[in-house]
Amino acid sequence: MERALKSRELILAFAIVALILMISLRFPAFAGPANLANVFNDTAILIMLALGQMAVILTKSIDLSVAANLALNGMVVAMLNSAMPGIPVPLLIVLAVGLGAALGALNGLMVWKLDIPPIVATLGTLTIYRGLIFVISGGAWVNAHEMSPGFKDLPRAVLGLPVLSWIAMLVILGAWIVYTRTPAGRAFYAVGGNANAAVYTGIDVGRTRFLAFVLSGTIAGLCGYLWVARYAVAYVDIAGGFELDVIAACVIGGISIAGGIGSVAGAVLGALFLGVIKNALPVVNISPFWQLAISGTAIIVAVAFNARAERTRGRVILKSAERGA
């Protein structure tokens, strides 16, 4: 029971429920099933990006270019659809996913082959990808009337839920399988936990980090299409600053920036925590611009909490060893 109460996922789930209940005391409709479904749908893209970022953070790296990757892919598919409406939407999705994977691979190669620190490599590609959006678009927007109906209609409701929510649930399931049931998932944890020990087990540390960046980029590519199709607009500053929310969701969910620690449930709950806050701010008449301050504060608190928890575990292990001696 004591172990369950210390579970980050359980604590976070209680915090989300408590937050919803507090808001619903003043605005009962907020806790209604339809509104909660909307909150999940509004948070779907953040959840998917956090699950991709999770792979990178597990390997003791970070991907600051994830939102720029999304934005570039969103602009590319929007411009292609506007110029050639006859291109099948599934082909555009495949293109977005493939381009996203390629951009992620570029990050991975710089970290793997050139030994560039991940934060430096992805900060550079963030700027490059944002610049490319302006270059290919000339600063112009692609608006709803320039997009084909099929391009915009994919993320609409099916069986009572938006397709965007269904896709997010499939990504959650796929992430759980990858992280807990595949050699690649186990390698992510091993590399982040102890890279030197991972080498002795036959794991290629550089290649594993490369795969993590490719996974992150692949999901970002998919989200690029989903973002543009849902909001029916593409512009230079798509998802500006969204990488902060993605990292915040991971850290709040208990994914350690020191690597090797984290869970799919934690990433999802971390994203939902931010999603509830984002949806609650307008309800309680607080400016949405405060979300950035709240996200930054949450990152600092979560990192401090993680560091304290890891130090506590270390002391307990040493004490146990002393008793055994």
Side-chain angles (χ1 to χ4, degrees):
M1 181 64 179
E2 183 180 356
R3 182 179 178 183
L5 290 176
K6 290 182 178 179
S7 167
R8 168 62 68 87
E9 291 82 0
L10 189 60
I11 294 172
L12 194 50
F14 279 138
I16 293 171
V17 172
L19 184 59
I20 292 173
L21 290 176
M22 284 190 295
I23 298 168
S24 64
L25 289 176
R26 185 173 179 183
F27 303 96
F30 189 85
N35 186 68
L36 292 180
N38 287 333
V39 171
F40 180 82
N41 193 59
D42 289 342
T43 315
I45 290 177
L46 177 59
I47 290 172
M48 289 185 277
L49 291 175
L51 290 171
Q53 183 78 237
M54 174 180 168
V56 178
I57 296 178
L58 282 176
T59 63
K60 210 172 183 179
S61 301
I62 196 163
D63 185 358
L64 297 178
S65 69
V66 61
N69 187 330
L70 177 157
L72 179 55
N73 278 282
M75 179 59 79
V76 167
V77 294
M79 291 181 65
L80 282 174
N81 178 254
S82 175
M84 295 175 281
I87 299 178
V89 172
L91 183 58
L92 289 176
I93 296 174
V94 170
L95 175 62
V97 170
L99 180 57
L103 297 178
L106 176 60
N107 289 330
L109 286 172
M110 287 192 291
V111 172
W112 179 17
K113 297 298 185 181
L114 301 181
D115 202 25
I116 299 175
I119 192 171
V120 175
T122 58
L123 183 61
T125 53
L126 180 159
T127 307
I128 293 171
Y129 299 162
R130 288 288 178 187
L132 285 175
I133 298 171
F134 186 85
V135 170
I136 65 174
S137 68
W141 290 32
V142 179
N143 296 302
H145 68 274
E146 300 175 85
M147 300 176 183
S148 67
F151 183 88
K152 297 179 291 184
D153 290 345
L154 184 63
R156 303 301 185 241
V158 171
L159 299 177
L161 282 176
V163 171
L164 181 57
S165 293
W166 289 112
I167 293 174
M169 287 187 277
L170 288 174
V171 171
I172 292 171
L173 176 61
W176 179 80
I177 293 172
V178 169
Y179 292 131
T180 64
R181 295 293 184 272
T182 67
R186 290 189 287 272
F188 294 153
Y189 284 95
V191 168
N194 190 324
N196 293 328
V199 171
Y200 287 107
T201 64
I203 296 174
D204 187 324
V205 174
R207 182 173 178 274
T208 299
R209 285 180 174 150
F210 170 78
L211 291 176
F213 278 105
V214 171
L215 178 58
S216 177
T218 300
I219 294 177
L222 172 63
C223 290
Y225 164 73
L226 294 173
W227 183 295
V228 171
R230 183 180 186 223
Y231 296 108
V233 64
Y235 53 96
V236 173
D237 292 326
I238 296 174
F242 202 60
E243 58 276 351
L244 174 63
D245 287 341
V246 176
I247 296 169
C250 290
V251 175
I252 292 169
I255 301 169
S256 174
I257 57 174
I261 299 174
S263 69
V264 170
V268 172
L269 289 170
L272 286 174
F273 180 80
L274 292 178
V276 170
I277 290 176
K278 180 179 180 181
N279 281 269
L281 291 181
V283 174
V284 295
N285 295 321
I286 298 176
S287 170
F289 292 105
W290 276 100
Q291 185 190 355
L292 291 175
I294 293 172
S295 298
T297 302
I299 289 176
I300 294 173
V301 172
V303 169
F305 185 91
N306 289 344
R308 182 177 178 83
E310 288 163 17
R311 285 199 303 269
T312 301
R313 282 198 295 272
R315 286 196 294 271
V316 170
I317 290 171
L318 290 174
K319 289 178 180 178
S320 299
E322 288 171 2
R323 289 194 207 100

